[in-house]
Structure formats: C-alpha cells, structure tokens
Amino acid sequence: MSNSRTGGADAGAEVSDVPQTVPLESGLVRVVDTPEERVRHPRALVWMIGCALGTAGVMFLSVVAHGTTAGVTEDVRSFNDLVATILFVPVAVLQGLIILFAPVAVMIELGVRRLGRQIVESIVAGVLGLLIGVLTTFLVRHLGSDELVRGMSVWERGTGYVLTIPEFAVSLTAMLTVAGPATRRRTVRLSWNLMFLALLIVLITGQVSLPGTLVALLLGRLAGSAVQYVSGIRSERAYGADLVAAVRRAGFAPTTLRRVHALSEHAAVASALAVEHGPADDPAALALGRAGDNRVYALYSDDGVRRDVMVLDGDRQVVGLITRLWRALRLRGIEGRAAISLKAVAERTALLSYTATAAGVRTPRLLGIGEFGDSMALVLEHASHAVPFRDLPDDDLHEDVLAEAWDQLGRAHAVGLTHRALTQDVLLTQRDDDGRAHVWITGWEQGDIVSSPLSRRLDLVQMLALIGLRVGPRRAVASAVRALPDADIAAIGPLIQTIALPRTTRDEVRRAKGLMGELRNALVERLPEASVQPQRISRFSARTVLTTTVAIVAVAVIVTTINFDEIATAVREANPWWVAVAFALALITWFGAGLTLVAFSPARVPIGRATLTAAAGSFVALAAPAGIGPAALNLRLLTQRGVSMSMAVATVALVQVSQFVVTVLLLVALSIFTGSGALVELPSPAVLITLAAIATAVVATLLVPPVRRWGLGFIGPRLRQVWPRLAQMLSHPGRLALGVGGNLIMTLGYIVGLWCCLAAFGETLSLVDIALVNLVGNALGALIPTPGGLGGVEGALTAGLTAAGVPATIAFSATILYRLCTYWGRVPLGWVAMRYLERKGDL
C-alpha cells in the first residue's frame, strides 16, 4: 500500500491507506482506500466448469449422433473435395496469418499498453492450450472408443477416418481469452474474427469435424480461464480518480471519500478524522457493507452532509447471479429473474430503492448513480445515529422497536414489494429526540417488486427468525401476533424452516439449536388452531440430490461392472429351486435387520417401516461402501422419528456392533454343536505359526505410542457411544432378546443363502465353513471403499470357498449367484421401498 496522487483535467485524487493530515490543494480530493490491483474473477471458475462439462457433452453427442449423420456423409464428400480444391490456397494463407501474425499483433498491443504481466500470462495460456490440445488428441486416439474416434474424425479418401482436433485453435483461443476483452482490444477482436472465419472454412471443406472444432474452442477457453483464475486478472474496478469521477457523474462534488472500516487498524488517525468529519465506519455503514458484501465509502462534500457510496463491481456480479438463480431453482415462490450485467444490477437496485421509498418504507434514499470502468457508484442517504439489530444491546430491544420493524415490512408488502434477504444487518434502529423508535430497512438488491403471496410469507418467516434470535421465540411470536392478522400467522407456520432463511441468519439459527422448533411451539401456543407441519417449499433437497446421484451411480455401476454373460451362465447351470430359496432367504434378512432396529430404537418404529428401510439400504448400497448406506438410512429414520442425533448415532452403532458379535457367537456355536469346522479341528502347525506371528505383530504394533493412541482414539469414541445404549438395553432383556433374534435371522439368512447357492450346483459345505467364509467376505467388503464392496466380496467369497475344498469354477459360479440373490436382485425392490418411504416422509 502506498500514497499516490492521480488527477485529471477537472479533478485530482490522493489515494492511500492512511490519509494525509496536511492541507489539501485546491480541487484535490482525499481518497482513503486500499485498492486491489488484481482480483480472482469468479467468472473464470464458472467458465472452467462450463467448458469442462461442454467438452464432455460434445464428445458424448459425437458418439450418439454419429450414426444419424453417417448416411449423409457420403453425399457431401464430393462437395467437400470440390470446395477444398478451390479454397486450398486461401485457407492455407488464412491459417498462416492467424498462427503467425495474430499472436504477434496481440502481444504488440499489450506491450504498447505496458501490460507486461498480461503478455506473460497470454503466452502461458497459449502454451497450456497447445499442451491440452495435443494431450486430448493423444488420449482420444489411444484410449477412446471406436465410436468416439469416428465421431471426432473426418473422412479422407485413400486414408479413411482421420482424427481432427485443431490444436492451433485450442492454443489461440486460450491466448485470446487471457489477452483481454474483445471490446477493448482491437487486435484481440480482429484475431477472434479471423480464427472463426478460418474454422468455418476448414469445417465446410471437410478438413475438420464439427465435434473436433467445438472441443478445440472449449478446451482453449478452459485453459485460458484456468490461467485467469489462478493468476487473477487486472482489476478494472474504479479506485482513486476513477471513483471520484463516478461520484461526480452521480451529481456530487466530493472533498473526501473514505473506505468504511479501512481505518480499523489506524485508530489514532481514525480518531483525528472523526473529529473533522465524524466516524466513517459507524455501525450503519458497516452493516451496509456486510449486508451486500460491496465496497462502501463515506462521502463528504462542501455542504457538510455525510452520505454513503455503495460501489457495485462487475467482477462480483457473477456470484450474485449464481446465488439468485440457485435459490430460484431450489425454492418455490422465488422468481428466477436475474440481472446479467452490471448496469442491469444497478438499475434493478435503483428501481427497488425508489419503490420502497415511494411505499413509505424508511430506507436510505438513492440520490444518484455514476459509472466508471467496471464499477457503478450508488450515492445513498446516510442513516445517521442508526444501529443495526446485530449491534443493538438487548436492553434497547423494546416492544416499540419490534412493532416498528413489522410495520415497515408491512408497508413494503402492501405494494407487493418483498425483501427476500432480511438479516440483522439490514434492519437499523434509530431514536429521535423524543425517544421514539424508528426502524430502517436497507439492502433491497435481492428483492422483488411484483411478488407472490408465498414470497411475502417467506419474508415474514425471516423477520420472525431474526427477531427470535435476539429476544427469544416467545417474544418474537408475540410481536408478530400483535402486528399481523391471524390468517398471516397461520400461513407462516408451515414455512418456519431453516431453508427459508438467508445464509447468515441460517448459520446463526443453527448455532441457536432448537430455535425453529421453539418458534413453532410458541406459535401454536398463541394460535392453537394453526398448523405448523412443515410445508415443502424446496423443489429438491439434499435427499433428492442423494437419490438422483445414487440412481446415476447405480446405472453406471450396473453397466460397467456387472458381467451379464457370467450371471446368465451361472443361472442357467444352477438348480432353479435352490436359487428361489436363496433369494427368499435374502429377502428375509430385511425382516431380521428391521427387527433389530425396532428392538434397539429408543422411539417407537413400526416393524414395517424398519423392514422397508433395510430394503432401501440394498438400493443405497449401489453408491455407498458396504454397511455405510444402510446405517445412514437407519440414522435418518430415527431422526425423522424425533430421536436426537447423538442418541440415533449410538443406536445405529449398537445395531452394527450387535450384528458382528452375534455373527461371531453363531460361528462358535455352530462349531461346538456340529463338531466340525476350523474352530474345533486341530489346526496345522503352519496355521498355528501364522496365527502366532499375527498376534505377535499386533501386540508389537500396539506397543508403539502413536499407533496405540490412534487405536484408542478409534475404538474409544465408539465404545463410549455404544456402552450407554447397551447398559440401557441390558435392563430390558425382552428387547435385547428381540434384537439378538433379529440379528440371528439376518445372519442365518445370509449363511444358509450361500449354502443354497452351493447346493444349486450340486456342492455342499459345512455351515461353519460357510459362516466363516461369509464373515470374512463381508469384513473385506466393508474395508474396501467400493459400492457394496464390489470386487472385495466376490474375491473373498470365491477364495474362501475354493480354500474350503470347492472347485474353483463352481466357487466362482456360486459366488456370482449369491451376489445376484443378495445384492443385484434386491436393487429394484430396494428402489421401490426407498421411493415409498420418501413419499411418506420417513427418509
């Protein structure tokens, strides 16, 4: 940060982070600011993501649409040959001009403008684009499918299909992207036009394919945007003399412009300036900056009146656009209109401000708008001696303040105006000389002029929540009841949800645990006939996204991993009756899992719902590692039933631990009562030596302090979670027995199901060995982070059955059949169960 003096014909400006205290020259404006020379533009990140998705989409469409275009390809080949013959020399000359002279011309213009860093970045972007183009061509040629290669290729007589991704277009597009906007760089604009013309000609003459051309442009834009995002772009925001010019264009002649809160670390200087002009970073100005996340300045002029300047920067509007579109897409009752340019944003803000003022809402009046560079300066009336709700002491939050807040919002709603972003920073309080309270509402940028009833109710919910954060739920509801008709109170009950709140208020509500529920309870106490059952106001939720993602992953897993030939062979060779029994046992395991959950649950859970939840876990297992998906669904079911999160986690942990314990105990019992299996037979010396070596290694590892601490840290929290629930269950032997019975049903279902799959191929094995193989297979499936333990379970089961004496071919076929019955075959039923539970609100 440094002191610099810039000026023009009619104005000068002194820019610094610490203002000068010497007398100013005539016509010189003091600007206290911290300019940003480079900014990381969010638009570059959006371009990167869009170009990456666009490249994937073009490649996909080139494969899908190639068959539809194959019929007309032969008809246009002769025409392409003729045009190529006629235009060969012009095209070659044009390509040479573009490749050789366009980059040189652009670099010369950047050099004349003394933009050395942008020259380096443009060269880096061009080289990066060339590398990406060459790498993409290599990957498509050697790793792409035949359909993809044909879709990206052109036909040449005597040669066949030739892959064409014009690398020069990738490199030049990346360089021009970084070189600057075409509207401000003449050589950049000319280069873009020449490149598009050349690509059009080579496309018509059949020298490149349309998908290859589109991919080249997208990859070039991706490379250029990546360089811009990593390095940042030269700031074109208005600072110093430019900012002074924008304010003067708004109709004001400033003597001093001071960035609000810029002097926080210079308390002595700030105090000196406060004596001269008053504090710049007062609570109202700070709140104005926080509410809109914009630059705010204190404006002083010769008339001695303090005003505020809110600066809208073009590079920040992408964030606002995406946020608004996201909320409009996700929430019902939120209109999807969004300003797409800086000028449109400023005009929309002005219209909303003027409408609020005309409606009698106490809000800072918009006094003028000025533009310079990539910034718009909005000159606003300053709310003197006003304090935002966030900074207002609790003792000053009297009933007259709350009533005035509701009254100001009601004035806006009376003319169809909604705010949509009510937070503790947009509500300002002020008392006049007579002690009367006045409330200001600021920050109308996200509002709507012609709004729906649902949008107005969401405003009421936001006001209720932010008041509840300060004075508690009962006083907040009481103030709403005094200010609103009973019909409005009853209408907002189902909308009291965190999703209806702005981000800052939502974060505060989450820290004040249980506030939304207390607001609903307080509302019912005041209006017993009101319904507070949450109404669905989101078009989709995290649950919907999860379901959709699981479905997509499921399809991908099925298409890419399942071997239909192996399954068909296994099914054809197997005894169908044993297959039917194995599938029936696999379905019975759902009942066992549901019975265990019902027994251990601290809240009442119907056995039907618990069984369907276990069934839905079979569908979720397609996209989650083994055991994680069903556990997550059990957790969701319990929380939906009113069980606290900590209690639900402990219950799910107890269910999982009990399943493992019952499986091991069942293995021991089968060994003892059947007199067979590895547990009762004398192990060989090699096995004993191996077991001793493993035990020694485990003990030696635990002697290492870091490893021991890690092990205790891993096991300790889980024991602390499970032990209180286990102690509670021990006092209810009936429920404990029911839970153990459910685990036995589930475990025996899997064990006997695997035995039936072996019997379907005429093989048999002791239940003890089957149980041991099944236990090891499931353990490995849980350790391998693949959906449903794919790969690990099949490998472990096949190896275990083979080691137990089953021929390898039959072991593999039995494993495939077993997975078909217990995994793949249950997926459709699990999907139906999950959809049903979602409609009923259980998940």
Side-chain angles (χ1 to χ4, degrees):
M1 294 181 288
S2 62
N3 298 341
S4 63
R5 177 172 296 183
T6 59
D10 58 347
E14 182 181 10
V15 185
S16 66
D17 62 328
V18 181
Q20 302 297 311
T21 57
V22 297
L24 299 177
E25 299 177 9
S26 177
L28 190 66
V29 179
R30 175 187 293 170
V31 180
V32 183
D33 200 357
T34 308
E36 295 184 58
E37 296 183 357
R38 302 188 67 83
V39 294
R40 182 165 290 177
H41 209 311
R43 186 180 293 118
L45 180 60
V46 174
W47 269 111
M48 289 172 57
I49 297 173
C51 290
L53 295 176
T55 302
V58 169
M59 290 185 176
F60 175 76
L61 291 177
S62 68
V63 175
V64 174
H66 179 72
T68 62
T69 59
V72 298
T73 302
E74 186 65 30
D75 299 332
V76 300
R77 282 173 187 161
S78 57
F79 174 76
N80 287 345
D81 294 340
L82 177 62
V83 175
T85 303
I86 297 174
L87 298 179
F88 173 74
V89 175
V91 170
V93 173
L94 185 60
Q95 286 181 333
L97 287 174
I98 294 173
I99 296 174
L100 296 177
F101 295 106
V104 174
V106 171
M107 295 301 108
I108 291 175
E109 181 177 358
L110 293 178
V112 171
R113 294 175 180 266
R114 298 182 180 180
L115 301 176
R117 177 167 177 169
Q118 203 161 358
I119 293 176
V120 175
E121 292 172 348
S122 300
I123 295 174
V124 171
V127 174
L128 178 62
L130 182 62
L131 293 176
I132 291 178
V134 172
L135 180 61
T136 302
T137 302
F138 176 82
L139 294 176
V140 171
R141 178 179 288 118
H142 294 281
L143 301 180
S145 64
D146 295 337
E147 293 80 5
L148 177 60
V149 173
R150 284 198 300 270
M152 305 285 292
S153 303
V154 295
W155 176 266
E156 291 186 4
R157 295 187 182 277
T159 305
Y161 284 105
V162 177
L163 180 64
T164 57
I165 298 178
E167 288 89 356
F168 82 92
V170 182
S171 178
L172 190 57
T173 300
M175 189 196 73
L176 295 179
T177 298
V178 177
T183 56
R184 302 181 185 178
R185 307 277 192 271
R186 182 176 301 176
T187 57
V188 172
R189 180 172 65 253
L190 182 60
S191 298
W192 277 116
N193 294 334
L194 289 176
M195 186 184 69
F196 287 142
L197 178 60
L199 289 176
L200 179 61
I201 293 176
V202 296
L203 183 62
I204 293 175
T205 57
Q207 299 179 45
V208 296
S209 63
L210 177 60
T213 303
L214 295 177
V215 166
L217 294 174
L218 290 170
L219 290 177
R221 193 73 176 186
L222 172 62
S225 299
V227 172
Q228 284 184 325
Y229 186 74
V230 172
S231 178
I233 62 175
R234 183 171 174 267
S235 175
E236 297 185 4
R237 299 175 177 178
Y239 289 102
D242 296 340
L243 181 59
V244 172
V247 173
R248 290 191 170 182
R249 289 178 181 180
F252 294 87
T255 58
T256 303
L257 280 171
R258 290 163 50 196
R259 180 82 170 265
V260 171
H261 80 266
L263 304 178
S264 57
E265 64 245 24
H266 305 291
V269 180
S271 300
L273 287 177
V275 172
E276 179 182 355
H277 292 297
D281 49 349
D282 63 351
L286 287 171
L288 181 63
R290 287 195 303 262
D293 199 18
N294 297 308
R295 287 190 286 152
V296 177
Y297 295 81
L299 166 62
Y300 302 99
S301 53
D302 291 333
D303 60 6
V305 178
R306 155 72 186 274
R307 299 176 181 88
D308 291 327
V309 178
M310 183 173 66
V311 181
L312 306 179
D313 297 310
D315 58 78
R316 293 203 52 81
Q317 300 312 310
V318 175
V319 178
L321 172 64
I322 294 175
T323 301
R324 183 179 176 88
L325 290 178
W326 169 250
R327 286 185 60 82
L329 177 65
R330 188 179 182 189
L331 295 182
R332 304 177 189 274
I334 302 298
E335 290 75 7
R337 298 186 303 273
I340 59 176
S341 68
L342 178 62
K343 185 176 181 180
V345 171
E347 290 174 345
R348 178 185 178 86
T349 303
L351 180 60
L352 287 160
S353 179
Y354 290 144
T355 304
T357 301
V361 180
R362 189 175 291 105
T363 187
R365 290 180 298 121
L366 179 62
L367 305 176
I369 301 179
E371 179 184 13
F372 199 101
D374 198 31
S375 298
M376 301 284 291
L378 282 65
V379 180
L380 303 169
E381 175 188 10
H382 178 62
S384 301
H385 308 295
V387 179
F389 262 45
R390 183 182 305 279
D391 301 326
L392 193 66
D394 294 340
D395 296 339
D396 293 339
L397 278 169
H398 303 300
E399 301 305 325
D400 59 341
V401 175
L402 306 183
E404 180 70 8
W406 287 110
D407 177 68
Q408 292 299 312
L409 185 60
R411 291 172 183 265
H413 287 180
V415 296
L417 183 66
T418 54
H419 192 282
R420 291 185 35 173
L422 291 169
T423 66
Q424 296 195 62
D425 286 319
V426 303
L427 292 184
L428 308 179
T429 61
Q430 180 188 62
R431 290 193 179 272
D432 56 22
D433 296 336
D434 297 330
R436 289 179 300 181
H438 299 288
V439 172
W440 299 60
I441 300 182
T442 65
W444 292 92
E445 293 85 356
Q446 297 295 323
D448 281 315
I449 296 175
V450 182
S451 56
S452 64
L454 177 57
S455 185
R456 291 193 288 272
R457 291 169 189 166
L458 292 176
D459 263 7
L460 299 178
V461 172
Q462 293 177 11
M463 179 69 80
L464 183 66
L466 68 90
I467 292 178
L469 284 168
R470 293 304 315 274
V471 302
R474 296 185 183 278
R475 280 188 63 190
V477 171
S479 68
V481 169
R482 287 192 297 267
L484 301 175
D486 289 349
D488 287 349
I489 295 294
I492 67 174
L495 303 179
I496 302 178
Q497 307 172 41
T498 55
I499 193 175
L501 307 177
R503 179 181 56 82
T504 55
T505 307
R506 189 163 58 244
D507 294 340
E508 293 166 358
V509 166
R510 286 171 178 166
R511 289 192 292 269
K513 298 183 181 298
L515 177 64
M516 301 304 279
E518 294 176 3
L519 286 173
R520 286 191 289 266
N521 295 336
L523 190 146
V524 171
E525 292 177 3
R526 287 277 180 170
L527 202 65
E529 64 274 13
S531 171
V532 293
Q533 182 64 30
Q535 172 186 343
R536 184 172 181 178
I537 58 177
S538 60
R539 290 189 173 94
F540 58 88
S541 60
R543 180 184 62 192
T544 307
V545 174
L546 175 62
T547 304
T548 306
T549 303
V550 167
I552 295 173
V553 173
V555 173
V557 168
I558 291 174
V559 171
T560 58
T561 63
I562 190 170
N563 192 321
F564 293 98
D565 293 335
E566 293 177 352
I567 292 179
T569 302
V571 171
R572 280 196 303 269
E573 296 177 356
N575 186 319
W577 294 107
W578 285 118
V579 175
V581 173
F583 186 68
L585 290 171
L587 298 183
I588 291 175
T589 60
W590 289 342
F591 175 76
L595 196 62
T596 302
L597 182 62
V598 169
F600 292 161
S601 173
R604 183 181 179 277
V605 178
I607 183 61
R609 291 287 194 271
T611 303
L612 289 175
T613 302
S618 300
F619 172 67
V620 176
L622 279 172
I628 293 180
L633 291 183
N634 287 340
L635 190 66
R636 176 69 177 175
L637 178 67
L638 292 176
T639 54
Q640 287 292 91
R641 293 275 166 177
V643 181
S644 64
M645 179 58 70
S646 58
M647 182 64 73
V649 170
T651 301
V652 172
L654 180 60
V655 169
Q656 292 182 313
V657 171
S658 67
Q659 291 173 356
F660 176 78
V661 172
V662 168
T663 301
V664 173
L665 292 179
L666 181 63
L667 182 63
V668 174
L670 289 174
S671 298
I672 294 174
F673 289 105
T674 60
S676 63
L679 295 178
V680 295
E681 295 175 356
L682 183 63
S684 63
V687 173
L688 291 176
I689 293 174
T690 302
L691 292 176
I694 293 174
T696 303
V698 171
V699 173
T701 303
L702 292 178
L703 292 177
V704 180
V707 177
R708 184 171 62 253
R709 286 194 296 268
W710 176 85
L712 294 177
F714 180 81
I715 298 174
R718 287 158 177 78
L719 290 178
R720 287 192 294 270
Q721 282 182 344
V722 173
W723 178 249
R725 289 292 298 138
L726 180 59
Q728 187 178 8
M729 292 303 302
L730 291 176
S731 62
H732 298 82
R735 296 181 63 182
L736 182 61
L738 188 65
V740 172
N743 281 322
L744 284 174
I745 293 175
M746 183 178 64
T747 304
L748 284 174
Y750 284 122
I751 293 174
V752 180
L754 181 56
W755 184 87
C756 292
C757 290
L758 274 175
F761 294 96
E763 287 290 331
T764 184
L765 203 62
S766 68
L767 287 178
V768 175
D769 291 332
I770 292 286
L772 185 60
V773 169
N774 185 70
L775 176 63
V776 174
N778 288 331
L780 289 179
L783 291 176
I784 297 177
T786 57
L790 285 174
V793 174
E794 288 82 358
L797 291 179
T798 302
L801 293 176
T802 303
V806 178
T809 55
I810 295 180
F812 178 75
S813 298
T815 298
I816 294 296
L817 183 60
Y818 175 73
R819 291 291 277 173
L820 176 64
C821 294
T822 60
Y823 187 67
W824 298 108
R826 301 193 302 177
V827 167
L829 298 177
W831 179 81
V832 173
M834 188 163 186
R835 296 295 297 172
Y836 175 81
L837 292 173
E838 285 180 343
R839 287 196 302 270
K840 295 297 183 181
D842 289 304
L843 291 181

